[in-house]
Amino acid sequence: MTITTTVRPYQSYVYAYPHKTAYQALPDRPALRALWADEPKDALSLYLHIPFCEVRCGFCNLFTRIGAPEGLTTAYLDALERQADAVSEALGEGARFAATAFGGGTPTFLEAAELERLCDIAEKRMGADLAAVPLSVEASPATATADRLAVLAARGTTRLSLGVQSFVDAEARSAVRPQRRADVEAALARIREAGIPVLNIDLIYGIDGQGEHSWLRSLDAALAWRPEELYLYPLYVRPLTGLGRKEAAESDHEWDERRLRLYRLGRDHLLGRGYEQVSMRMFRRADAPSTASGSEDHACQTDGMIGLGCGARSYTSGLHYSFDYAVDMREIRGIIDDYVSRPAADFGHAEHGRAITGEEARRRHLLQSVLQAEGLDVAAYRARFAADPADDFPEELARFAARGWLDPAAEPGRLRLSAEGLAHSDALGPELFSPAVRAAMAAYEAK
């Protein structure tokens, strides 16, 4: 099947809006106590960021560094404690957490004792009850060791996400992710033995040299473990990454065609084997336990997000904020070094961010809803904004409908993407960015 529109299907993965490259330095450095004073705090989300990996994959543009000199992980956890104390004080009494997550980087880069300390920061300093709320943790095969998994299981981890990307060794090497399938399988066996309720496996399509048969081999290798969730990611080649410095092996059009073909093949393969599609990327086994507040694509989009760590974001209803952002290794090391040297008082203010105006809140609500397979509840949108999405975004929705991206058979009161709309999520999402956000992103100087 060929692409039915001239719009390129793979433009940008919209996992957060506005994107962090639209953030700018906040000259007034608002106090966190003031930012959170009038926010609902009875069902917050807590995210702890660990910016370390044993290797950096060729496609990765996340905020992470390779390895850690002796003493750096200890210094980082020390700073994380200082930040947690400052944020907890700013939140005041009555703050409650409904979901938690450890991400990165690779949280399981930390040794078992350090993971215990990380859990203590979440529980003892922030007040999150890890045994009572969903806890999602990211891991790599090399760091999913028995002792680390035992700590995570004992502390209440409900979901573990393993970045596999490919079960074909040659494809892993092509993606600059050196690993052997035997080691991946051994890690999966340890995860299942640890008894963590939900296993997610990340896979990537569009790798150089990957074809339909090898893609199906990876999918079937993953399915052999009956993961409760699977994420299928299209490969992106971004500036300042390992793959970003390599010459393309095929034209953009050919690569788009191949990725879209592999997406459809993977989607249909999973749908035929008892999985339900949650979003373009996410598939959940129909009989899997619910992790409603811990793993959906839009979980990181909710207001009331507290992010700790130098690569984490925090969201209030009126401001999204974080520390500085970079992709280049030298720049990342500098930001981490600055973070670990900060006194406690520095963590009581927001430094980089973007205000969420009424229009941006509407765009964000539409984005985070319509990119899910279940779509947008029009009544809920109307109750929040006293308007109809068709009135707020008439041109965009008309354009999507003309391309066949909206489902004409959706039940009344629900705005839902068609199968092709979901397939083109990475084209549809960016078209909903506001002109102001587009301008800020265009002005961002990659570093």
Side-chain angles (χ1 to χ4, degrees), residues 19 21 32 34 68 77 84 88 98 119 122-123 157 172 186 222 238 241 280-281 352 369 383 409 412 415 430 434:
H19 190 270
T21 54
L32 299 190
L77 291 171
S88 182
C119 291
E123 287 202 318
T157 301
R238 300 177 176 97
T241 64
M280 172 186 164
R281 287 165 172 76
H352 290 78
S369 301
L415 182 65
S434 71

Side-chain angles (χ1 to χ4, degrees), residues 171-390:
E171 291 178 4
R173 288 193 298 271
S174 180
V176 195
R177 185 184 178 86
Q179 66 186 18
R180 298 185 308 135
R181 175 172 174 174
D183 296 330
V184 173
E185 301 276 4
L188 286 164
R190 292 191 296 270
I191 293 167
R192 282 310 197 195
E193 186 176 352
I196 294 170
V198 173
L199 164 65
N200 173 70
I201 296 177
D202 288 345
L203 297 176
I204 287 181
Y205 55 92
I207 299 170
D208 189 26
Q210 183 185 57
E212 294 181 14
H213 292 299
S214 64
W215 177 227
L216 287 175
R217 284 206 306 274
S218 268
L219 287 166
D220 286 336
L223 289 171
W225 293 95
R226 299 197 75 242
E228 285 72 23
E229 296 175 3
L230 276 160
Y231 271 74
L232 309 185
Y233 288 95
L235 179 66
Y236 276 93
V237 175
R238 300 177 176 97
L240 303 180
T241 64
L243 292 181
R245 293 185 285 272
K246 292 177 64 177
E247 186 174 345
E250 56 191 331
S251 71
D252 288 341
H253 176 74
E254 291 171 329
W255 193 31
D256 284 347
E257 289 275 2
R258 183 162 63 92
R259 283 184 288 179
L260 200 51
R261 186 171 62 251
L262 293 174
Y263 160 78
R264 290 174 175 141
L265 179 64
R267 174 198 64 194
D268 294 346
H269 197 65
L270 295 185
L271 293 178
R273 283 155 181 79
Y275 284 77
E276 300 171 340
Q277 187 166 19
V278 178
S279 69
M280 172 186 164
R281 287 165 172 76
M282 183 182 177
F283 296 80
R284 177 182 292 135
R285 211 177 72 211
D287 62 346
S290 173
T291 56
S293 57
S295 65
E296 273 74 357
D297 276 355
H298 63 286
C300 68
Q301 285 282 67
T302 57
D303 296 332
M305 168 69 74
I306 299 292
L308 301 181
C310 58
R313 314 170 203 222
S314 297
Y315 303 143
T316 71
S317 59
L319 180 73
H320 291 189
Y321 64 92
S322 68
F323 294 100
D324 201 2
Y325 170 72
V327 175
D328 179 76
M329 271 293 156
R330 183 169 58 183
E331 296 284 350
I332 289 173
R333 287 195 294 267
I335 293 172
I336 294 174
D337 289 345
D338 172 72
Y339 176 82
V340 301
S341 68
R342 286 171 176 254
D346 273 12
F347 293 120
H349 301 266
E351 298 192 356
H352 290 78
R354 187 165 192 88
I356 305 302
T357 63
E359 181 201 356
E360 297 294 13
R362 293 173 189 231
R363 290 182 179 275
R364 184 165 174 264
H365 186 104
L366 177 62
L367 266 172
Q368 69 182 24
S369 301
V370 80
L371 292 182
Q372 304 299 305
E374 66 180 8
L376 179 142
D377 183 335
V378 175
Y381 183 99
R382 193 180 295 122
R384 180 176 179 184
F385 299 112
D388 193 283

Side-chain angles (χ1 to χ4, degrees), residues 428-445:
L428 184 152
E431 290 197 31
L432 289 172
F433 291 5
S434 71
V437 165
R438 288 177 182 275
M441 293 175 66
Y444 174 78
E445 294 185 11

